[in-house]
Amino acid sequence: MRATSVPIDARATYIGCMDTNLTHSAPAFFISHGAPTFALQPGQLGPVLTAAGGRMGAAKAVLIVSPHWITRGVRVASTPAPDTIHDFGGFPEPLYRLSYRAPGAPDWAARAVQLLESAGFAAEPDAGRGLDHGAWVPLRYLLPEANTPVFQVSMPRDFDTAGAWRMGRALAPLRAQGVAIVGSGSLTHNLYEVFHGGKEAPYAQEFASWATRAVLGGDTDALLHYRAQAPSAERAHPTEEHFLPLVVAAGAATEGEQAQLLPGGMTYGVLAMDSYAWGLPLPEAA
């Protein structure tokens, strides 16, 4: 991954697809999905995601990696019609009435299994998996019509930044075939402070600013070693599962792509909602 100050290199814009037609390369995203209440409270990021979705063009499918599906090895959802999973408790009742009824993508899931196996992952299909809130909550804003096929790839229990980068690189060829890749996590994720802090904490913004500099600067080494290099890394991420989807998404980017910031602000004082996109057309000048 390397960000530049010029638009995306067009050399890899077209490539053969599974159906032998040619298509534009689909973008990659890292999206901070925050708390489940993001589904009801779009805040700053919701409209930004909807605008980004309007610029991404027609994707053939969306592959999404969420920290709310962790398994032995890697599982790839091949469900034809995935259910909406409400994998949370104690939130407002209207959240449990929401659904996101996008179709699944069994054929693309099979292709993802092949790519992951070729990269050395122990991957297998899962024909019963639905969409957890790390998937359907941000997709409600990115693709609100829910007519693009969606499938999830799980995170293995022994995942680390090196494995996340390797997964992104393994899945990257799908972008050239028209499949958007989304890493859904949270730029900062200290739930203890969400529930017990009750006020803004400067460290969260410091960490978010560091991450943005690393992503926009194409600093792969910083992302892979964020635990040692980022300010307050262990406080921003007491556990790593919500940061690793960022590394997956960055790994799915290609050399020379311009990373874009999708600003999301801060919720609950400590949940940074900033997100990023690679390969997304820039907004048209007003």
Side-chain angles (χ1 to χ4, degrees), residues 208-238:
S209 297
W210 176 92
T212 293
R213 289 193 298 271
V215 171
L216 299 188
D219 194 343
T220 300
D221 182 75
L223 294 179
L224 292 176
H225 300 97
Y226 82 100
R227 218 94 174 135
Q229 297 187 26
S232 304
E234 293 191 8
R235 186 176 177 187
H237 289 279

CSV table of all heavy atoms in Angstrom, one decimal, residues 208-238:
chain,number,residue,atom,x,y,z
A,208,ALA,N,-6.3,8.2,16.6
A,208,ALA,CA,-7.0,8.3,15.3
A,208,ALA,C,-6.2,9.1,14.3
A,208,ALA,O,-6.1,8.8,13.1
A,208,ALA,CB,-8.4,8.9,15.5
A,209,SER,N,-5.6,10.2,14.8
A,209,SER,CA,-4.8,11.1,13.9
A,209,SER,C,-3.5,10.3,13.5
A,209,SER,O,-3.1,10.5,12.3
A,209,SER,CB,-4.4,12.4,14.7
A,209,SER,OG,-5.6,13.1,15.0
A,210,TRP,N,-2.9,9.6,14.4
A,210,TRP,CA,-1.8,8.8,14.0
A,210,TRP,C,-2.2,7.8,12.9
A,210,TRP,O,-1.4,7.6,11.9
A,210,TRP,CB,-1.2,8.0,15.2
A,210,TRP,CG,-0.1,7.1,14.9
A,210,TRP,CD1,1.2,7.4,14.9
A,210,TRP,CD2,-0.2,5.8,14.5
A,210,TRP,NE1,2.0,6.3,14.6
A,210,TRP,CE2,1.1,5.3,14.3
A,210,TRP,CE3,-1.3,4.9,14.3
A,210,TRP,CZ2,1.4,4.0,13.8
A,210,TRP,CZ3,-1.0,3.6,13.8
A,210,TRP,CH2,0.3,3.2,13.6
A,211,ALA,N,-3.3,7.1,13.1
A,211,ALA,CA,-3.7,6.1,12.1
A,211,ALA,C,-4.0,6.7,10.8
A,211,ALA,O,-3.6,6.2,9.7
A,211,ALA,CB,-4.9,5.3,12.6
A,212,THR,N,-4.6,7.9,10.8
A,212,THR,CA,-4.8,8.6,9.5
A,212,THR,C,-3.5,8.9,8.8
A,212,THR,O,-3.4,8.8,7.6
A,212,THR,CB,-5.7,9.8,9.7
A,212,THR,OG1,-7.0,9.4,10.2
A,212,THR,CG2,-5.9,10.6,8.4
A,213,ARG,N,-2.6,9.4,9.5
A,213,ARG,CA,-1.3,9.7,8.9
A,213,ARG,C,-0.6,8.5,8.3
A,213,ARG,O,-0.1,8.5,7.2
A,213,ARG,CB,-0.3,10.4,9.9
A,213,ARG,CG,-0.7,11.8,10.3
A,213,ARG,CD,0.4,12.5,11.1
A,213,ARG,NE,0.7,11.8,12.3
A,213,ARG,CZ,0.1,12.1,13.5
A,213,ARG,NH1,-0.9,13.0,13.6
A,213,ARG,NH2,0.5,11.5,14.6
A,214,ALA,N,-0.7,7.3,9.0
A,214,ALA,CA,-0.1,6.1,8.6
A,214,ALA,C,-0.8,5.6,7.3
A,214,ALA,O,-0.2,5.2,6.3
A,214,ALA,CB,-0.2,5.0,9.6
A,215,VAL,N,-2.2,5.7,7.3
A,215,VAL,CA,-2.9,5.2,6.1
A,215,VAL,C,-2.7,6.1,4.9
A,215,VAL,O,-2.4,5.6,3.8
A,215,VAL,CB,-4.4,5.1,6.5
A,215,VAL,CG1,-5.2,4.8,5.2
A,215,VAL,CG2,-4.6,4.0,7.5
A,216,LEU,N,-2.9,7.4,5.1
A,216,LEU,CA,-2.7,8.3,4.0
A,216,LEU,C,-1.3,8.4,3.5
A,216,LEU,O,-1.0,8.7,2.3
A,216,LEU,CB,-3.3,9.7,4.3
A,216,LEU,CG,-4.8,9.8,4.7
A,216,LEU,CD1,-5.2,11.2,4.9
A,216,LEU,CD2,-5.6,9.0,3.7
A,217,GLY,N,-0.3,8.1,4.4
A,217,GLY,CA,1.1,8.1,4.0
A,217,GLY,C,1.6,6.8,3.5
A,217,GLY,O,2.7,6.7,3.2
A,218,GLY,N,0.7,5.8,3.4
A,218,GLY,CA,1.1,4.5,2.9
A,218,GLY,C,2.1,3.8,3.7
A,218,GLY,O,3.0,3.1,3.2
A,219,ASP,N,2.1,4.0,5.0
A,219,ASP,CA,3.1,3.5,5.9
A,219,ASP,C,2.7,2.1,6.4
A,219,ASP,O,2.1,1.9,7.5
A,219,ASP,CB,3.3,4.4,7.1
A,219,ASP,CG,4.6,4.1,7.9
A,219,ASP,OD1,5.1,3.0,7.7
A,219,ASP,OD2,5.0,5.0,8.6
A,220,THR,N,2.9,1.1,5.6
A,220,THR,CA,2.6,-0.3,5.9
A,220,THR,C,3.3,-0.7,7.2
A,220,THR,O,2.6,-1.4,8.1
A,220,THR,CB,3.0,-1.2,4.8
A,220,THR,OG1,2.3,-0.8,3.6
A,220,THR,CG2,2.6,-2.7,5.1
A,221,ASP,N,4.5,-0.4,7.4
A,221,ASP,CA,5.3,-0.8,8.6
A,221,ASP,C,4.6,-0.3,9.8
A,221,ASP,O,4.5,-1.0,10.8
A,221,ASP,CB,6.7,-0.3,8.5
A,221,ASP,CG,7.5,-0.8,9.7
A,221,ASP,OD1,7.9,-2.0,9.7
A,221,ASP,OD2,7.8,0.0,10.6
A,222,ALA,N,4.1,0.9,9.8
A,222,ALA,CA,3.5,1.5,11.0
A,222,ALA,C,2.2,0.7,11.3
A,222,ALA,O,1.9,0.4,12.5
A,222,ALA,CB,3.1,3.0,10.7
A,223,LEU,N,1.4,0.4,10.3
A,223,LEU,CA,0.2,-0.4,10.6
A,223,LEU,C,0.5,-1.8,11.1
A,223,LEU,O,-0.2,-2.3,12.0
A,223,LEU,CB,-0.7,-0.5,9.3
A,223,LEU,CG,-1.2,0.8,8.8
A,223,LEU,CD1,-2.0,0.6,7.5
A,223,LEU,CD2,-2.1,1.5,9.8
A,224,LEU,N,1.5,-2.4,10.6
A,224,LEU,CA,1.8,-3.8,11.0
A,224,LEU,C,2.4,-3.8,12.4
A,224,LEU,O,2.3,-4.7,13.2
A,224,LEU,CB,2.8,-4.4,10.0
A,224,LEU,CG,2.3,-4.7,8.6
A,224,LEU,CD1,3.4,-5.3,7.8
A,224,LEU,CD2,1.2,-5.7,8.7
A,225,HIS,N,3.0,-2.7,12.8
A,225,HIS,CA,3.7,-2.6,14.1
A,225,HIS,C,3.0,-1.5,15.0
A,225,HIS,O,3.7,-0.8,15.8
A,225,HIS,CB,5.2,-2.4,14.0
A,225,HIS,CG,5.8,-3.5,13.2
A,225,HIS,ND1,6.1,-3.4,11.9
A,225,HIS,CD2,6.3,-4.7,13.6
A,225,HIS,CE1,6.7,-4.5,11.4
A,225,HIS,NE2,6.8,-5.3,12.5
A,226,TYR,N,1.8,-1.2,14.8
A,226,TYR,CA,1.1,-0.1,15.5
A,226,TYR,C,1.2,-0.2,17.0
A,226,TYR,O,1.2,0.8,17.7
A,226,TYR,CB,-0.4,0.0,15.0
A,226,TYR,CG,-1.3,-1.0,15.8
A,226,TYR,CD1,-2.1,-0.6,16.8
A,226,TYR,CD2,-1.4,-2.3,15.4
A,226,TYR,CE1,-2.9,-1.4,17.5
A,226,TYR,CE2,-2.2,-3.2,16.1
A,226,TYR,CZ,-3.0,-2.8,17.1
A,226,TYR,OH,-3.8,-3.6,17.8
A,227,ARG,N,1.2,-1.5,17.5
A,227,ARG,CA,1.2,-1.7,18.9
A,227,ARG,C,2.5,-1.0,19.6
A,227,ARG,O,2.4,-0.5,20.7
A,227,ARG,CB,1.3,-3.2,19.2
A,227,ARG,CG,0.4,-3.6,20.4
A,227,ARG,CD,-1.0,-3.9,20.0
A,227,ARG,NE,-1.7,-4.4,21.2
A,227,ARG,CZ,-2.9,-4.1,21.5
A,227,ARG,NH1,-3.6,-3.2,20.8
A,227,ARG,NH2,-3.5,-4.6,22.5
A,228,ALA,N,3.6,-1.0,18.8
A,228,ALA,CA,4.8,-0.4,19.3
A,228,ALA,C,5.0,1.1,18.9
A,228,ALA,O,5.7,1.8,19.5
A,228,ALA,CB,6.0,-1.2,18.8
A,229,GLN,N,4.3,1.5,17.8
A,229,GLN,CA,4.5,2.8,17.2
A,229,GLN,C,3.5,3.8,17.5
A,229,GLN,O,3.8,5.0,17.6
A,229,GLN,CB,4.7,2.7,15.7
A,229,GLN,CG,5.9,1.8,15.3
A,229,GLN,CD,6.2,1.9,13.8
A,229,GLN,OE1,5.9,2.8,13.1
A,229,GLN,NE2,6.9,0.8,13.3
A,230,ALA,N,2.2,3.4,17.7
A,230,ALA,CA,1.1,4.4,17.8
A,230,ALA,C,1.0,4.8,19.3
A,230,ALA,O,1.2,4.1,20.2
A,230,ALA,CB,-0.2,3.7,17.4
A,231,PRO,N,0.6,6.1,19.5
A,231,PRO,CA,0.4,6.6,20.8
A,231,PRO,C,-0.8,5.9,21.5
A,231,PRO,O,-1.9,5.8,20.8
A,231,PRO,CB,0.2,8.1,20.6
A,231,PRO,CG,-0.4,8.2,19.2
A,231,PRO,CD,0.3,7.1,18.5
A,232,SER,N,-0.7,5.5,22.7
A,232,SER,CA,-1.8,4.9,23.5
A,232,SER,C,-2.4,3.7,22.7
A,232,SER,O,-3.6,3.5,22.8
A,232,SER,CB,-2.8,5.9,23.8
A,232,SER,OG,-2.3,7.0,24.5
A,233,ALA,N,-1.6,2.9,22.0
A,233,ALA,CA,-2.2,1.8,21.2
A,233,ALA,C,-2.9,0.8,22.1
A,233,ALA,O,-4.1,0.4,21.7
A,233,ALA,CB,-1.1,1.1,20.4
A,234,GLU,N,-2.4,0.4,23.2
A,234,GLU,CA,-3.1,-0.6,24.0
A,234,GLU,C,-4.3,0.0,24.7
A,234,GLU,O,-5.2,-0.8,25.0
A,234,GLU,CB,-2.1,-1.2,25.0
A,234,GLU,CG,-1.0,-2.0,24.3
A,234,GLU,CD,-0.2,-2.8,25.3
A,234,GLU,OE1,-0.6,-2.9,26.5
A,234,GLU,OE2,0.8,-3.4,24.9
A,235,ARG,N,-4.3,1.3,24.9
A,235,ARG,CA,-5.5,1.9,25.5
A,235,ARG,C,-6.6,2.0,24.4
A,235,ARG,O,-7.8,1.8,24.7
A,235,ARG,CB,-5.2,3.2,26.1
A,235,ARG,CG,-6.4,3.9,26.9
A,235,ARG,CD,-6.0,5.2,27.6
A,235,ARG,NE,-7.1,5.8,28.2
A,235,ARG,CZ,-7.1,7.0,28.8
A,235,ARG,NH1,-6.0,7.7,28.8
A,235,ARG,NH2,-8.2,7.5,29.4
A,236,ALA,N,-6.2,2.4,23.2
A,236,ALA,CA,-7.1,2.5,22.1
A,236,ALA,C,-7.7,1.2,21.7
A,236,ALA,O,-8.9,1.1,21.3
A,236,ALA,CB,-6.5,3.2,20.9
A,237,HIS,N,-6.9,0.1,21.8
A,237,HIS,CA,-7.3,-1.2,21.5
A,237,HIS,C,-6.8,-2.2,22.5
A,237,HIS,O,-5.7,-2.9,22.3
A,237,HIS,CB,-6.7,-1.6,20.1
A,237,HIS,CG,-7.4,-0.9,19.0
A,237,HIS,ND1,-8.6,-1.3,18.4
A,237,HIS,CD2,-7.0,0.2,18.3
A,237,HIS,CE1,-9.0,-0.4,17.5
A,237,HIS,NE2,-8.0,0.5,17.4
A,238,PRO,N,-7.5,-2.4,23.7
A,238,PRO,CA,-7.1,-3.4,24.7
A,238,PRO,C,-7.0,-4.8,24.1
A,238,PRO,O,-6.2,-5.6,24.5
A,238,PRO,CB,-8.2,-3.3,25.7
A,238,PRO,CG,-8.7,-1.9,25.6
A,238,PRO,CD,-8.7,-1.6,24.1
